[in-house]
Amino acid sequence: MSISVAMTVNGKAVSGKVEARTLLVQFLREHLGMTGTHVGCDTSQCGACVIHVDGKSVKSCTMLAVQAEGAKVTTIEGLAASPDKLHPMQEAFRENHALQCGFCTPGMVMSAIDMVKRHNYQLDEATVRRELEGNLCRCTGYHNIVKAILAAAPAMKSAGV
Amino acid sequence: MYDFAYHRPKSVADAVGLLKGKPEARAMSGGMTLIPTLKQRLARPSDVVDLGGVKELAGIKVEGNNVVVGGMTRHADVATSAEVKAAIPALAHLAGHIGDPQVRNRGTIGGSVANNDPAADYPGAVVGLNATVTTNTRKIAADDFFKGLFETALADGELITSISFPKAEKAAYMKFPNPASRYAMVGVFVAKTAGGVRVAVTGAGPCVFRVKAMEDALAKNFSSAAIKDIKIPADGLNSDIHGSAEYRAHLVGVMARRAVDAANK
């Protein structure tokens, strides 16, 4: 069954024809060609596919594209203000060496931004570690990811993002 | 995932109408269980009726002595609700420990309760607080709602519209989460209410159950010492890769004592 779907992705209106069973992450990657959002486990555990839908972090491998009809979607591609100016969270990941292979990074960054905002830019290490329970990294052991998020929180606040 | 016909009704009446006469149709709330089930081809519904557009189903109200949570209310909204935190903090705590932040942003109370996964958290609160489940056709008492493994009193096409939780004098929920999935290996909800003490156990058996021996002991003396010698038989409890029935039986006692201590704080 072919269904028309329309939503806003990173501020741009997009639309397409999908099947009812098309996952939101498939729509982003395969229909729109936006491959920044990754599919890791495909079982809603690893968090590589985390994006924001109407301002809330969700696992896009466990949402149908049709469920995002009319929604405002933000992906990793929509964070940087310009190609040479990263989002403070991306910059903090870079500065703190918070990635090795980089596969989990898009989801980590999207979860981290949501986390910082929900906690009103005030986080401690224990909170960051607990809040990361939906994101798996198999390289770094999380230490530098936690450091990056703690560094990004005040940077996001002063940048007003 | 097999394909299906997708519907997005705007009202409960429309949703019920879409489900009617279609024995293979399924309602979907947050989809946190249904979508993984479809991906594994463990279910093949003819139609999926998405309740995401039914605004009347979401929201939290305090009505007299009860906290009424709409069926489509997300776990994150229950966890952070000022009303729930003030009226029944144990319920907010439980909701805040389901899955992970992304699952809590999508998953709903109605979906969790209707699915009745043996390791789900919410059935513990529904039974522990003696809640009432309201559907599009009737009201069902907690003790009559959960029937067995993934089985409830809901009829085909019947939808949970809200769940009403009476405030408790004291209550707490303690769970031992599976370290990977965060599902409850064992979760115990303890409540001291006007109607007596209730102890509801989730995760340990095929379905949420009450422990009468603990309830009787706690009614006389609401302290963890009062239940320290009560042993839970392992017969019929879940035994799997994550833990044996004996291990879960032991955990019931530990989590119950921790819950009583937390409720007394």
Side-chain angles (χ1 to χ4, degrees):
Chain A
M1 192 165 96
S2 180
I3 305 172
S4 296
V5 66
M7 64 191 80
T8 306
V9 178
N10 300 332
K12 202 173 127 200
V14 299
S15 60
K17 291 264 189 201
V18 296
E19 289 184 299
R21 62 179 169 173
T22 304
L23 298 170
L24 182 53
V25 72
Q26 278 178 292
F27 180 68
L28 294 171
R29 289 178 58 88
E30 297 167 22
H31 294 241
L32 302 181
M34 298 173 67
T35 53
T37 303
H38 291 171
V39 179
C41 70
D42 201 19
T43 54
S44 45
Q45 298 184 62
C46 81
C49 66
V50 171
I51 60 169
H52 297 175
V53 175
D54 291 330
K56 290 183 172 166
S57 64
V58 304
K59 290 180 171 173
S60 61
C61 81
T62 311
M63 192 167 163
L64 303 173
V66 286
Q67 285 179 287
E69 171 69 32
K72 284 191 171 63
V73 172
T74 306
T75 70
I76 190 80
E77 290 97 333
L79 294 181
S82 66
D84 54 0
K85 178 140 180 64
L86 294 175
H87 184 281
M89 186 63 74
Q90 294 172 306
E91 189 59 41
F93 267 61
R94 196 171 75 108
E95 283 294 317
N96 289 278
H97 193 63
L99 58 147
Q100 284 183 25
C101 86
F103 195 85
C104 72
T105 309
M108 286 283 179
V109 168
M110 299 309 287
S111 288
I113 291 170
D114 179 49
M115 171 197 316
V116 169
K117 288 184 176 171
R118 274 187 291 114
H119 288 274
N120 200 23
Y121 304 93
Q122 302 211 322
L123 291 158
D124 55 29
E125 183 183 336
T127 306
V128 172
R129 288 185 182 274
R130 183 165 40 86
E131 286 278 347
L132 278 180
E133 64 190 345
N135 291 79
L136 299 179
C137 166
R138 299 289 76 176
C139 301
T140 72
Y142 303 96
H143 189 70
N144 287 355
I145 295 172
V146 175
K147 264 169 59 185
I149 296 170
L150 289 171
M156 280 173 62
K157 189 172 187 183
S158 51
V161 295
Chain B
M1 195 186 315
Y2 296 111
D3 207 15
F4 46 81
Y6 174 82
H7 311 275
R8 193 177 169 87
K10 293 251 186 291
S11 69
V12 173
D14 288 350
V16 169
L18 286 161
L19 290 164
K20 201 173 178 181
K22 298 191 191 93
E24 299 300 323
R26 290 285 293 271
M28 175 168 72
S29 46
M32 292 296 97
T33 301
L34 183 60
I35 293 174
T37 305
L38 296 179
K39 282 178 169 186
Q40 294 178 73
R41 296 187 170 179
L42 293 172
R44 189 178 191 174
S46 60
D47 299 69
V48 169
V49 178
D50 180 4
L51 304 177
V54 184
K55 297 274 180 288
E56 63 190 289
L57 284 176
I60 296 162
K61 287 177 293 188
V62 176
E63 292 177 352
N65 197 40
N66 294 287
V67 176
V68 183
V69 183
M72 275 297 293
T73 310
R74 317 275 177 185
H75 306 325
D77 294 329
V78 175
T80 57
S81 157
E83 289 104 318
V84 178
K85 280 188 188 171
I88 313 176
L91 185 61
H93 170 88
L94 177 148
H97 288 77
I98 298 171
D100 57 48
Q102 290 72 41
V103 167
R104 293 194 286 274
N105 277 340
R106 294 293 301 164
T108 71
I109 189 169
S112 170
V113 170
N115 189 49
N116 193 20
D117 188 300
D121 295 293
Y122 265 130
V126 172
V127 172
L129 288 165
N130 197 16
T132 301
V133 179
T134 301
T135 75
N136 55 309
T137 59
R138 57 185 170 146
K139 288 183 188 297
I140 308 169
D143 287 337
D144 301 326
F145 185 84
F146 300 100
K147 296 292 191 190
L149 186 72
F150 292 108
E151 199 187 335
T152 68
L154 292 172
D156 279 351
E158 187 175 9
L159 295 176
I160 294 175
T161 52
S162 67
I163 300 176
S164 177
F165 295 91
K167 289 181 198 171
E169 192 186 316
K170 291 176 176 181
Y173 177 67
M174 278 291 148
K175 80 163 159 177
F176 189 95
N178 177 309
S181 72
R182 302 299 197 259
Y183 270 109
M185 291 273 290
V186 166
V188 179
F189 200 104
V190 171
K192 189 179 184 194
T193 69
V197 174
R198 296 173 71 96
V199 176
V201 178
T202 189
C207 179
V208 62
F209 63 90
R210 291 169 64 187
V211 183
K212 183 144 192 320
M214 286 185 177
E215 293 180 353
D216 293 345
L218 291 168
K220 291 194 195 94
N221 173 14
F222 196 80
S223 77
S224 56
I227 54 171
K228 73 177 175 15
D229 295 324
I230 296 176
K231 298 267 181 274
I232 303 298
D235 297 347
L237 296 190
N238 299 335
S239 190
D240 55 27
I241 186 176
H242 309 299
S244 65
E246 290 74 18
Y247 182 64
R248 282 187 165 87
H250 175 72
L251 275 182
V252 173
V254 176
M255 292 300 121
R257 292 195 293 278
R258 286 185 191 173
V260 173
D261 287 340
N264 277 328
K265 264 184 195 155

PDB file of all heavy atoms in Angstrom, chain B residues 180-213:
ATOM      1  N   ALA B 180      20.553  -5.260  30.382  1.00  0.00           N
ATOM      2  CA  ALA B 180      20.578  -4.911  28.960  1.00  0.00           C
ATOM      3  C   ALA B 180      19.274  -4.250  28.530  1.00  0.00           C
ATOM      4  O   ALA B 180      19.276  -3.185  27.933  1.00  0.00           O
ATOM      5  CB  ALA B 180      20.842  -6.144  28.112  1.00  0.00           C
ATOM      6  N   SER B 181      18.149  -4.860  28.854  1.00  0.00           N
ATOM      7  CA  SER B 181      16.881  -4.380  28.298  1.00  0.00           C
ATOM      8  C   SER B 181      16.165  -3.389  29.202  1.00  0.00           C
ATOM      9  O   SER B 181      15.283  -2.669  28.756  1.00  0.00           O
ATOM     10  CB  SER B 181      15.944  -5.561  28.058  1.00  0.00           C
ATOM     11  OG  SER B 181      15.465  -6.071  29.295  1.00  0.00           O
ATOM     12  N   ARG B 182      16.515  -3.357  30.467  1.00  0.00           N
ATOM     13  CA  ARG B 182      15.839  -2.541  31.494  1.00  0.00           C
ATOM     14  C   ARG B 182      14.433  -3.049  31.829  1.00  0.00           C
ATOM     15  O   ARG B 182      13.727  -2.432  32.609  1.00  0.00           O
ATOM     16  CB  ARG B 182      15.755  -1.058  31.109  1.00  0.00           C
ATOM     17  CG  ARG B 182      17.091  -0.412  30.839  1.00  0.00           C
ATOM     18  CD  ARG B 182      17.971  -0.457  32.078  1.00  0.00           C
ATOM     19  NE  ARG B 182      19.082   0.472  31.995  1.00  0.00           N
ATOM     20  CZ  ARG B 182      20.333   0.129  31.688  1.00  0.00           C
ATOM     21  NH1 ARG B 182      20.623  -1.124  31.412  1.00  0.00           N
ATOM     22  NH2 ARG B 182      21.297   1.027  31.669  1.00  0.00           N
ATOM     23  N   TYR B 183      14.030  -4.142  31.216  1.00  0.00           N
ATOM     24  CA  TYR B 183      12.780  -4.776  31.664  1.00  0.00           C
ATOM     25  C   TYR B 183      13.003  -5.302  33.081  1.00  0.00           C
ATOM     26  O   TYR B 183      14.136  -5.576  33.480  1.00  0.00           O
ATOM     27  CB  TYR B 183      12.417  -5.954  30.752  1.00  0.00           C
ATOM     28  CG  TYR B 183      11.549  -5.589  29.572  1.00  0.00           C
ATOM     29  CD1 TYR B 183      12.055  -5.579  28.280  1.00  0.00           C
ATOM     30  CD2 TYR B 183      10.201  -5.282  29.761  1.00  0.00           C
ATOM     31  CE1 TYR B 183      11.250  -5.260  27.195  1.00  0.00           C
ATOM     32  CE2 TYR B 183       9.392  -4.963  28.682  1.00  0.00           C
ATOM     33  CZ  TYR B 183       9.919  -4.950  27.407  1.00  0.00           C
ATOM     34  OH  TYR B 183       9.124  -4.634  26.344  1.00  0.00           O
ATOM     35  N   ALA B 184      11.889  -5.473  33.813  1.00  0.00           N
ATOM     36  CA  ALA B 184      12.001  -5.930  35.193  1.00  0.00           C
ATOM     37  C   ALA B 184      12.315  -7.426  35.234  1.00  0.00           C
ATOM     38  O   ALA B 184      11.532  -8.236  34.738  1.00  0.00           O
ATOM     39  CB  ALA B 184      10.704  -5.651  35.940  1.00  0.00           C
ATOM     40  N   MET B 185      13.465  -7.779  35.823  1.00  0.00           N
ATOM     41  CA  MET B 185      13.695  -9.188  36.182  1.00  0.00           C
ATOM     42  C   MET B 185      12.667  -9.512  37.264  1.00  0.00           C
ATOM     43  O   MET B 185      12.018 -10.537  37.227  1.00  0.00           O
ATOM     44  CB  MET B 185      15.092  -9.377  36.768  1.00  0.00           C
ATOM     45  CG  MET B 185      16.212  -9.188  35.775  1.00  0.00           C
ATOM     46  SD  MET B 185      16.559 -10.704  34.915  1.00  0.00           S
ATOM     47  CE  MET B 185      17.275 -11.672  36.235  1.00  0.00           C
ATOM     48  N   VAL B 186      12.620  -8.593  38.223  1.00  0.00           N
ATOM     49  CA  VAL B 186      11.577  -8.612  39.247  1.00  0.00           C
ATOM     50  C   VAL B 186      11.311  -7.164  39.640  1.00  0.00           C
ATOM     51  O   VAL B 186      12.248  -6.390  39.832  1.00  0.00           O
ATOM     52  CB  VAL B 186      12.018  -9.407  40.502  1.00  0.00           C
ATOM     53  CG1 VAL B 186      11.092  -9.137  41.679  1.00  0.00           C
ATOM     54  CG2 VAL B 186      12.062 -10.899  40.215  1.00  0.00           C
ATOM     55  N   GLY B 187      10.046  -6.804  39.741  1.00  0.00           N
ATOM     56  CA  GLY B 187       9.678  -5.492  40.249  1.00  0.00           C
ATOM     57  C   GLY B 187       8.576  -5.681  41.288  1.00  0.00           C
ATOM     58  O   GLY B 187       7.674  -6.492  41.080  1.00  0.00           O
ATOM     59  N   VAL B 188       8.688  -4.959  42.395  1.00  0.00           N
ATOM     60  CA  VAL B 188       7.665  -5.091  43.436  1.00  0.00           C
ATOM     61  C   VAL B 188       7.099  -3.715  43.757  1.00  0.00           C
ATOM     62  O   VAL B 188       7.854  -2.786  44.057  1.00  0.00           O
ATOM     63  CB  VAL B 188       8.228  -5.753  44.712  1.00  0.00           C
ATOM     64  CG1 VAL B 188       7.136  -5.858  45.784  1.00  0.00           C
ATOM     65  CG2 VAL B 188       8.799  -7.127  44.400  1.00  0.00           C
ATOM     66  N   PHE B 189       5.789  -3.604  43.642  1.00  0.00           N
ATOM     67  CA  PHE B 189       5.093  -2.360  43.998  1.00  0.00           C
ATOM     68  C   PHE B 189       4.379  -2.599  45.326  1.00  0.00           C
ATOM     69  O   PHE B 189       3.571  -3.514  45.446  1.00  0.00           O
ATOM     70  CB  PHE B 189       4.082  -1.977  42.915  1.00  0.00           C
ATOM     71  CG  PHE B 189       3.707  -0.522  42.959  1.00  0.00           C
ATOM     72  CD1 PHE B 189       4.219   0.372  42.024  1.00  0.00           C
ATOM     73  CD2 PHE B 189       2.862  -0.034  43.949  1.00  0.00           C
ATOM     74  CE1 PHE B 189       3.892   1.723  42.073  1.00  0.00           C
ATOM     75  CE2 PHE B 189       2.533   1.312  44.007  1.00  0.00           C
ATOM     76  CZ  PHE B 189       3.045   2.199  43.060  1.00  0.00           C
ATOM     77  N   VAL B 190       4.710  -1.774  46.305  1.00  0.00           N
ATOM     78  CA  VAL B 190       4.095  -1.897  47.628  1.00  0.00           C
ATOM     79  C   VAL B 190       3.311  -0.620  47.906  1.00  0.00           C
ATOM     80  O   VAL B 190       3.821   0.478  47.663  1.00  0.00           O
ATOM     81  CB  VAL B 190       5.195  -2.087  48.702  1.00  0.00           C
ATOM     82  CG1 VAL B 190       4.606  -2.004  50.096  1.00  0.00           C
ATOM     83  CG2 VAL B 190       5.906  -3.419  48.508  1.00  0.00           C
ATOM     84  N   ALA B 191       2.077  -0.756  48.373  1.00  0.00           N
ATOM     85  CA  ALA B 191       1.277   0.428  48.694  1.00  0.00           C
ATOM     86  C   ALA B 191       0.474   0.208  49.960  1.00  0.00           C
ATOM     87  O   ALA B 191      -0.101  -0.857  50.177  1.00  0.00           O
ATOM     88  CB  ALA B 191       0.336   0.767  47.534  1.00  0.00           C
ATOM     89  N   LYS B 192       0.476   1.254  50.783  1.00  0.00           N
ATOM     90  CA  LYS B 192      -0.379   1.271  51.977  1.00  0.00           C
ATOM     91  C   LYS B 192      -1.507   2.234  51.654  1.00  0.00           C
ATOM     92  O   LYS B 192      -1.263   3.434  51.477  1.00  0.00           O
ATOM     93  CB  LYS B 192       0.432   1.751  53.182  1.00  0.00           C
ATOM     94  CG  LYS B 192      -0.298   1.605  54.497  1.00  0.00           C
ATOM     95  CD  LYS B 192       0.589   2.080  55.642  1.00  0.00           C
ATOM     96  CE  LYS B 192      -0.116   1.851  56.967  1.00  0.00           C
ATOM     97  NZ  LYS B 192       0.542   2.575  58.049  1.00  0.00           N
ATOM     98  N   THR B 193      -2.700   1.713  51.521  1.00  0.00           N
ATOM     99  CA  THR B 193      -3.820   2.533  51.069  1.00  0.00           C
ATOM    100  C   THR B 193      -4.966   2.448  52.084  1.00  0.00           C
ATOM    101  O   THR B 193      -4.917   1.648  53.021  1.00  0.00           O
ATOM    102  CB  THR B 193      -4.363   2.016  49.721  1.00  0.00           C
ATOM    103  OG1 THR B 193      -5.006   0.752  49.943  1.00  0.00           O
ATOM    104  CG2 THR B 193      -3.245   1.823  48.699  1.00  0.00           C
ATOM    105  N   ALA B 194      -5.972   3.251  51.831  1.00  0.00           N
ATOM    106  CA  ALA B 194      -7.141   3.233  52.708  1.00  0.00           C
ATOM    107  C   ALA B 194      -7.783   1.845  52.718  1.00  0.00           C
ATOM    108  O   ALA B 194      -8.332   1.395  53.723  1.00  0.00           O
ATOM    109  CB  ALA B 194      -8.145   4.279  52.241  1.00  0.00           C
ATOM    110  N   GLY B 195      -7.676   1.150  51.598  1.00  0.00           N
ATOM    111  CA  GLY B 195      -8.283  -0.182  51.497  1.00  0.00           C
ATOM    112  C   GLY B 195      -7.383  -1.307  51.975  1.00  0.00           C
ATOM    113  O   GLY B 195      -7.711  -2.478  51.811  1.00  0.00           O
ATOM    114  N   GLY B 196      -6.221  -0.989  52.533  1.00  0.00           N
ATOM    115  CA  GLY B 196      -5.303  -2.018  53.011  1.00  0.00           C
ATOM    116  C   GLY B 196      -3.961  -1.946  52.311  1.00  0.00           C
ATOM    117  O   GLY B 196      -3.720  -1.065  51.495  1.00  0.00           O
ATOM    118  N   VAL B 197      -3.117  -2.905  52.650  1.00  0.00           N
ATOM    119  CA  VAL B 197      -1.782  -2.951  52.046  1.00  0.00           C
ATOM    120  C   VAL B 197      -1.825  -3.869  50.837  1.00  0.00           C
ATOM    121  O   VAL B 197      -2.463  -4.925  50.867  1.00  0.00           O
ATOM    122  CB  VAL B 197      -0.740  -3.471  53.069  1.00  0.00           C
ATOM    123  CG1 VAL B 197       0.617  -3.666  52.396  1.00  0.00           C
ATOM    124  CG2 VAL B 197      -0.615  -2.510  54.240  1.00  0.00           C
ATOM    125  N   ARG B 198      -1.145  -3.459  49.758  1.00  0.00           N
ATOM    126  CA  ARG B 198      -1.075  -4.301  48.560  1.00  0.00           C
ATOM    127  C   ARG B 198       0.385  -4.467  48.134  1.00  0.00           C
ATOM    128  O   ARG B 198       1.158  -3.521  48.169  1.00  0.00           O
ATOM    129  CB  ARG B 198      -1.893  -3.679  47.409  1.00  0.00           C
ATOM    130  CG  ARG B 198      -3.393  -3.619  47.733  1.00  0.00           C
ATOM    131  CD  ARG B 198      -4.166  -2.866  46.678  1.00  0.00           C
ATOM    132  NE  ARG B 198      -4.273  -3.586  45.418  1.00  0.00           N
ATOM    133  CZ  ARG B 198      -5.307  -4.342  45.056  1.00  0.00           C
ATOM    134  NH1 ARG B 198      -6.330  -4.508  45.874  1.00  0.00           N
ATOM    135  NH2 ARG B 198      -5.320  -4.930  43.880  1.00  0.00           N
ATOM    136  N   VAL B 199       0.701  -5.689  47.757  1.00  0.00           N
ATOM    137  CA  VAL B 199       2.044  -6.013  47.272  1.00  0.00           C
ATOM    138  C   VAL B 199       1.882  -6.679  45.912  1.00  0.00           C
ATOM    139  O   VAL B 199       1.329  -7.780  45.818  1.00  0.00           O
ATOM    140  CB  VAL B 199       2.776  -6.966  48.243  1.00  0.00           C
ATOM    141  CG1 VAL B 199       4.139  -7.364  47.672  1.00  0.00           C
ATOM    142  CG2 VAL B 199       2.931  -6.337  49.624  1.00  0.00           C
ATOM    143  N   ALA B 200       2.328  -6.015  44.857  1.00  0.00           N
ATOM    144  CA  ALA B 200       2.175  -6.557  43.505  1.00  0.00           C
ATOM    145  C   ALA B 200       3.550  -6.821  42.914  1.00  0.00           C
ATOM    146  O   ALA B 200       4.451  -5.990  43.013  1.00  0.00           O
ATOM    147  CB  ALA B 200       1.404  -5.575  42.623  1.00  0.00           C
ATOM    148  N   VAL B 201       3.692  -7.991  42.305  1.00  0.00           N
ATOM    149  CA  VAL B 201       4.992  -8.425  41.778  1.00  0.00           C
ATOM    150  C   VAL B 201       4.900  -8.568  40.267  1.00  0.00           C
ATOM    151  O   VAL B 201       4.018  -9.255  39.736  1.00  0.00           O
ATOM    152  CB  VAL B 201       5.394  -9.774  42.401  1.00  0.00           C
ATOM    153  CG1 VAL B 201       6.719 -10.259  41.809  1.00  0.00           C
ATOM    154  CG2 VAL B 201       5.489  -9.659  43.914  1.00  0.00           C
ATOM    155  N   THR B 202       5.826  -7.915  39.561  1.00  0.00           N
ATOM    156  CA  THR B 202       5.889  -8.072  38.104  1.00  0.00           C
ATOM    157  C   THR B 202       7.267  -8.629  37.736  1.00  0.00           C
ATOM    158  O   THR B 202       8.205  -8.568  38.536  1.00  0.00           O
ATOM    159  CB  THR B 202       5.609  -6.727  37.399  1.00  0.00           C
ATOM    160  OG1 THR B 202       5.477  -6.954  35.993  1.00  0.00           O
ATOM    161  CG2 THR B 202       6.729  -5.731  37.625  1.00  0.00           C
ATOM    162  N   GLY B 203       7.369  -9.207  36.556  1.00  0.00           N
ATOM    163  CA  GLY B 203       8.654  -9.728  36.088  1.00  0.00           C
ATOM    164  C   GLY B 203       8.979 -11.135  36.550  1.00  0.00           C
ATOM    165  O   GLY B 203       9.673 -11.870  35.867  1.00  0.00           O
ATOM    166  N   ALA B 204       8.474 -11.502  37.721  1.00  0.00           N
ATOM    167  CA  ALA B 204       8.853 -12.796  38.301  1.00  0.00           C
ATOM    168  C   ALA B 204       8.067 -13.952  37.695  1.00  0.00           C
ATOM    169  O   ALA B 204       8.611 -15.037  37.487  1.00  0.00           O
ATOM    170  CB  ALA B 204       8.660 -12.771  39.812  1.00  0.00           C
ATOM    171  N   GLY B 205       6.778 -13.722  37.430  1.00  0.00           N
ATOM    172  CA  GLY B 205       5.924 -14.794  36.933  1.00  0.00           C
ATOM    173  C   GLY B 205       5.413 -14.499  35.536  1.00  0.00           C
ATOM    174  O   GLY B 205       5.795 -13.505  34.920  1.00  0.00           O
ATOM    175  N   PRO B 206       4.541 -15.356  35.016  1.00  0.00           N
ATOM    176  CA  PRO B 206       3.985 -15.117  33.685  1.00  0.00           C
ATOM    177  C   PRO B 206       3.092 -13.872  33.629  1.00  0.00           C
ATOM    178  O   PRO B 206       2.835 -13.333  32.552  1.00  0.00           O
ATOM    179  CB  PRO B 206       3.167 -16.373  33.395  1.00  0.00           C
ATOM    180  CG  PRO B 206       3.145 -17.181  34.636  1.00  0.00           C
ATOM    181  CD  PRO B 206       4.140 -16.639  35.598  1.00  0.00           C
ATOM    182  N   CYS B 207       2.642 -13.416  34.795  1.00  0.00           N
ATOM    183  CA  CYS B 207       1.727 -12.278  34.865  1.00  0.00           C
ATOM    184  C   CYS B 207       1.887 -11.657  36.249  1.00  0.00           C
ATOM    185  O   CYS B 207       2.293 -12.340  37.198  1.00  0.00           O
ATOM    186  CB  CYS B 207       0.295 -12.792  34.661  1.00  0.00           C
ATOM    187  SG  CYS B 207      -0.985 -11.540  34.733  1.00  0.00           S
ATOM    188  N   VAL B 208       1.570 -10.374  36.368  1.00  0.00           N
ATOM    189  CA  VAL B 208       1.637  -9.699  37.665  1.00  0.00           C
ATOM    190  C   VAL B 208       0.799 -10.478  38.694  1.00  0.00           C
ATOM    191  O   VAL B 208      -0.254 -11.020  38.364  1.00  0.00           O
ATOM    192  CB  VAL B 208       1.163  -8.226  37.526  1.00  0.00           C
ATOM    193  CG1 VAL B 208      -0.276  -8.139  37.067  1.00  0.00           C
ATOM    194  CG2 VAL B 208       1.350  -7.452  38.824  1.00  0.00           C
ATOM    195  N   PHE B 209       1.288 -10.544  39.937  1.00  0.00           N
ATOM    196  CA  PHE B 209       0.513 -11.231  40.985  1.00  0.00           C
ATOM    197  C   PHE B 209       0.724 -10.538  42.332  1.00  0.00           C
ATOM    198  O   PHE B 209       1.687  -9.782  42.504  1.00  0.00           O
ATOM    199  CB  PHE B 209       0.884 -12.713  41.066  1.00  0.00           C
ATOM    200  CG  PHE B 209       2.327 -12.990  41.451  1.00  0.00           C
ATOM    201  CD1 PHE B 209       2.699 -13.125  42.780  1.00  0.00           C
ATOM    202  CD2 PHE B 209       3.307 -13.124  40.470  1.00  0.00           C
ATOM    203  CE1 PHE B 209       4.024 -13.387  43.135  1.00  0.00           C
ATOM    204  CE2 PHE B 209       4.643 -13.377  40.811  1.00  0.00           C
ATOM    205  CZ  PHE B 209       5.000 -13.511  42.149  1.00  0.00           C
ATOM    206  N   ARG B 210      -0.209 -10.803  43.275  1.00  0.00           N
ATOM    207  CA  ARG B 210      -0.105 -10.234  44.619  1.00  0.00           C
ATOM    208  C   ARG B 210       0.450 -11.283  45.586  1.00  0.00           C
ATOM    209  O   ARG B 210       0.289 -12.480  45.367  1.00  0.00           O
ATOM    210  CB  ARG B 210      -1.474  -9.753  45.096  1.00  0.00           C
ATOM    211  CG  ARG B 210      -1.960  -8.528  44.332  1.00  0.00           C
ATOM    212  CD  ARG B 210      -3.412  -8.228  44.620  1.00  0.00           C
ATOM    213  NE  ARG B 210      -3.632  -7.877  46.023  1.00  0.00           N
ATOM    214  CZ  ARG B 210      -4.844  -7.710  46.555  1.00  0.00           C
ATOM    215  NH1 ARG B 210      -5.918  -7.869  45.804  1.00  0.00           N
ATOM    216  NH2 ARG B 210      -4.975  -7.384  47.824  1.00  0.00           N
ATOM    217  N   VAL B 211       1.077 -10.798  46.644  1.00  0.00           N
ATOM    218  CA  VAL B 211       1.618 -11.719  47.657  1.00  0.00           C
ATOM    219  C   VAL B 211       0.853 -11.480  48.948  1.00  0.00           C
ATOM    220  O   VAL B 211       1.125 -10.539  49.692  1.00  0.00           O
ATOM    221  CB  VAL B 211       3.132 -11.483  47.868  1.00  0.00           C
ATOM    222  CG1 VAL B 211       3.672 -12.503  48.875  1.00  0.00           C
ATOM    223  CG2 VAL B 211       3.885 -11.589  46.555  1.00  0.00           C
ATOM    224  N   LYS B 212      -0.135 -12.331  49.193  1.00  0.00           N
ATOM    225  CA  LYS B 212      -1.044 -12.133  50.313  1.00  0.00           C
ATOM    226  C   LYS B 212      -0.327 -12.219  51.656  1.00  0.00           C
ATOM    227  O   LYS B 212      -0.612 -11.441  52.572  1.00  0.00           O
ATOM    228  CB  LYS B 212      -2.179 -13.173  50.242  1.00  0.00           C
ATOM    229  CG  LYS B 212      -3.205 -13.002  51.327  1.00  0.00           C
ATOM    230  CD  LYS B 212      -4.611 -13.300  50.881  1.00  0.00           C
ATOM    231  CE  LYS B 212      -5.658 -12.838  51.888  1.00  0.00           C
ATOM    232  NZ  LYS B 212      -5.309 -13.053  53.293  1.00  0.00           N
ATOM    233  N   ALA B 213       0.618 -13.158  51.776  1.00  0.00           N
ATOM    234  CA  ALA B 213       1.328 -13.301  53.057  1.00  0.00           C
ATOM    235  C   ALA B 213       2.036 -11.994  53.422  1.00  0.00           C
ATOM    236  O   ALA B 213       2.035 -11.575  54.592  1.00  0.00           O
ATOM    237  CB  ALA B 213       2.330 -14.448  52.963  1.00  0.00           C
TER     238      ALA B 213
END
